[in-house]
Amino acid sequence: MKAKLIGVGRATLAQEARAEIERMITEGELTAGEKLNELDLSMLMGVSRGTVREAIRSLADSGLVDLIANRGAFVHETTLSEVQNLYELRGAIFAMACAAAARRVGTGEERDLAAALAVNIDKMEGAQETEELATYYALNIEFHDMLMAAAGNPKAKVIYDNIKREMHLFRRKGLSIASNIARSLEEHRVIADAVTAGNEAAARDAANAHIQRGFDRYMITAGRSRETEK
Amino acid sequence: MKAKLIGVGRATLAQEARAEIERMITEGELTAGEKLNELDLSMLMGVSRGTVREAIRSLADSGLVDLIANRGAFVHETTLSEVQNLYELRGAIFAMACAAAARRVGTGEERDLAAALAVNIDKMEGAQETEELATYYALNIEFHDMLMAAAGNPKAKVIYDNIKREMHLFRRKGLSIASNIARSLEEHRVIADAVTAGNEAAARDAANAHIQRGFDRYMITAGRSRETEK
DNA sequence: AATATGTTGATTGTTGACAATATAAACCGG
DNA sequence: CCGGTTTATATTGTCAACAATCAACATATT
């Protein structure tokens, strides 16, 4: 028995349709470049075509879809060059966030972060030892999310999450996540140390270096994948 | 007599309606917190209400409007705390862009920037001497835009421009643009020198310092405005 | 007078029909 | 068989009508 939510948070059908389209895109049911057929989606979801249109229109600025007049909406295709740009942006924003987190730790505004980061890193070490890749990956996401949240800049987190999501439109082509866990984990430790020490500059540099090296690791994988295709 | 545009770039009515709503918001005809009445707008624009809905929905992620289920769309009200967050973000992205521009100057990818920056700074000096504030402001925008474009990261420019636009939702409350032209101009010179010298680190630091000091100057003005209101 | 309840009108959300445009299929000529 | 043109079909864009929700106002109760 579900109680109906009351008030501002209640979703319209169009909002629910949007969430479903987002899910289909991020989970790969709708692939990069694929066309969003309004009538198909409306029948699939059991709503009118107009409602699907509203949902799609609301994705206009999301980076997930491209709206082309009279031709429809297509899942955005993220090129390698775009991925590079997104990595650079992501690095700048993550660096800014870690610096802000370090500052807030230093002023006492942020109190629980050090302990939470330490727990997370312990768990990542465990996942590394038992070679549980999926667990490591989830903890990796948690690590980044904690730092983004600790920056106290909600707008930065929204943009950061959107960038990550947009980058997944490239990954969906079959590339696996680049993983050099030992290196990645060591970089996490450096970031956490700088942040918990309240050292803005060190946090900023370590965070940016971590993302850029992640990109380098990613490019190595992308390079290999190209050879496989040829 | 308006010529109809042909091809992929041709705008739908909903796209034109969106552009008009954006103009009304950024030019202050629709003020922060104001409700967007679909029927009023549709009569104003000579299109159906559904078309206005599509236009408004397409602004969902723009930062300009807040969509509230069953209550409608409201021009976003940017708080001072949000402005601070936006300044921080803007600084990080502008810093990243100036570093990238410096790198591209250093590798020869970007060839015309040094000359263009020099021309712009000359003109800003002229505007400073003749105390033409509007001219200085336009040149200031041009300076920033040139650097954002020279970074070769279109996504960064989109996000940067959106952030600037969103910040204007606060300015619309009557605050005038903080201006200390001599200081601002000197900071522009430092940025231009670092970029044209291909010095990434110096460009990054100078750019971020420039935006943060712009925020400091802005806060001084905001502080004064508060006293006026009390 | 203050508060609670009911009613009405305004507005938002959804749907289906029609118009406009793009795409696919069929047709024709060389 | 191929390329160009015409026709048919599919899809997108717009509109208007109906349903659902909210806000404002009127009335009843304490």
Side-chain angles (χ1 to χ4, degrees):
Chain A
M1 175 70 186
K2 284 191 183 176
K4 265 219 167 181
L5 291 181
I6 298 176
V8 180
R10 202 176 67 231
T12 61
L13 286 185
Q15 284 170 340
E16 289 179 20
R18 171 180 167 147
E20 176 63 9
I21 291 166
E22 282 180 301
R23 186 197 64 76
M24 290 166 87
I25 291 174
T26 58
E27 297 198 2
E29 287 179 39
L30 290 170
T31 58
E34 189 168 350
K35 182 173 174 132
L36 307 192
N37 183 300
E38 296 174 0
L39 198 55
D40 287 350
L41 286 170
S42 72
M43 290 192 289
L44 210 58
M45 296 174 180
V47 295
S48 86
R49 185 169 69 81
T51 304
V52 169
R53 278 187 72 82
E54 283 207 11
I56 291 171
R57 254 91 208 123
S58 78
L59 288 166
D61 288 353
S62 69
L64 290 184
V65 299
D66 301 317
L67 305 187
I68 304 180
N70 289 313
R71 297 195 181 168
F74 300 81
V75 180
H76 183 65
E77 294 190 83
T78 303
T79 63
L80 194 53
S81 157
E82 279 179 326
V83 170
Q84 186 173 359
N85 287 339
L86 292 170
Y87 258 105
E88 201 172 4
L89 253 181
R90 183 177 163 187
I93 293 170
F94 188 58
M96 181 216 83
C98 290
R103 184 175 66 243
R104 297 178 85 240
V105 166
T107 62
E109 273 175 90
E110 182 63 59
R111 289 207 155 79
D112 302 326
L113 185 62
L117 289 178
V119 169
N120 174 279
I121 286 176
D122 274 354
K123 286 183 186 170
M124 281 195 284
E125 282 163 353
Q128 179 194 17
E129 283 167 11
T130 55
E131 298 191 355
E132 289 170 291
L133 209 58
T135 303
Y136 183 85
Y137 183 66
L139 290 164
N140 177 59
I141 291 177
E142 187 185 86
F143 179 81
H144 283 258
D145 284 352
M146 279 194 288
L147 286 164
M148 289 307 305
N153 190 330
K155 184 73 179 183
K157 188 162 197 308
V158 167
I159 293 177
Y160 180 83
D161 288 341
N162 286 346
I163 287 170
K164 273 173 57 190
R165 195 171 53 170
E166 200 173 331
M167 284 161 67
H168 284 205
L169 299 183
F170 189 87
R171 280 200 171 117
R172 287 297 155 192
K173 289 188 178 173
L175 299 185
S176 60
I177 293 144
S179 53
N180 181 334
I181 293 189
R183 183 70 61 84
S184 165
L185 187 45
E186 178 54 35
E187 289 166 10
H188 283 180
R189 285 197 201 97
V190 174
I191 295 169
D193 287 347
V195 169
T196 54
N199 187 336
E200 282 191 56
R204 179 181 286 117
D205 291 346
N208 196 41
H210 172 56
I211 300 287
Q212 297 315 317
R213 290 196 193 115
F215 175 63
D216 293 342
R217 289 191 285 266
Y218 182 76
M219 287 303 291
I220 290 169
T221 311
R224 265 192 235 124
S225 179
R226 279 196 187 155
E227 290 167 20
T228 306
E229 283 171 21
K230 287 181 180 176
Chain B
M1 175 69 180
K2 285 190 181 175
K4 266 218 167 186
L5 293 179
I6 299 176
V8 179
R10 201 178 66 230
T12 60
L13 286 184
Q15 284 169 339
E16 289 179 18
R18 171 181 167 146
E20 176 63 10
I21 291 167
E22 281 181 299
R23 185 198 64 77
M24 290 166 85
I25 291 174
T26 58
E27 297 197 4
E29 288 180 39
L30 290 170
T31 58
E34 189 169 351
K35 184 179 170 116
L36 306 191
N37 183 301
E38 296 173 359
L39 199 53
D40 287 350
L41 286 170
S42 70
M43 290 191 288
L44 211 56
M45 295 174 181
V47 295
S48 87
R49 185 169 69 81
T51 303
V52 169
R53 281 188 68 82
E54 282 205 16
I56 291 171
R57 254 91 209 123
S58 78
L59 287 165
D61 289 353
S62 70
L64 290 184
V65 299
D66 301 318
L67 305 188
I68 306 181
N70 289 312
R71 293 187 187 178
F74 300 81
V75 180
H76 183 65
E77 294 190 83
T78 303
T79 62
L80 194 52
S81 156
E82 277 178 324
V83 170
Q84 185 173 2
N85 287 339
L86 292 170
Y87 258 106
E88 199 170 7
L89 253 180
R90 182 176 164 189
I93 294 171
F94 188 59
M96 181 217 82
C98 290
R103 184 175 66 244
R104 295 177 86 242
V105 165
T107 61
E109 273 176 271
E110 181 64 58
R111 288 207 156 79
D112 301 327
L113 185 62
L117 288 177
V119 169
N120 174 279
I121 285 176
D122 273 355
K123 287 184 185 170
M124 281 196 283
E125 282 165 355
Q128 180 194 16
E129 284 168 12
T130 55
E131 298 191 356
E132 289 172 288
L133 208 60
T135 302
Y136 182 86
Y137 183 65
L139 289 163
N140 176 58
I141 290 177
E142 187 186 86
F143 179 81
H144 283 259
D145 284 351
M146 277 194 289
L147 286 164
M148 290 306 306
N153 190 330
K155 184 72 179 183
K157 188 164 197 307
V158 167
I159 293 178
Y160 181 83
D161 288 341
N162 286 345
I163 288 171
K164 272 172 60 189
R165 195 171 54 168
E166 201 173 328
M167 284 161 67
H168 283 206
L169 300 183
F170 189 85
R171 281 201 168 119
R172 285 300 155 193
K173 288 186 178 174
L175 299 185
S176 61
I177 292 143
S179 54
N180 181 335
I181 293 189
R183 183 70 60 85
S184 166
L185 187 48
E186 178 52 35
E187 288 166 10
H188 283 180
R189 284 196 201 99
V190 174
I191 295 170
D193 288 346
V195 168
T196 55
N199 187 334
E200 283 191 56
R204 178 182 287 116
D205 292 345
N208 196 39
H210 173 56
I211 300 287
Q212 298 314 318
R213 291 198 192 113
F215 175 62
D216 293 341
R217 291 191 283 266
Y218 182 75
M219 287 304 290
I220 289 168
T221 310
R224 268 193 233 125
S225 179
R226 278 196 188 158
E227 290 168 20
T228 305
E229 284 173 22
K230 285 180 183 177

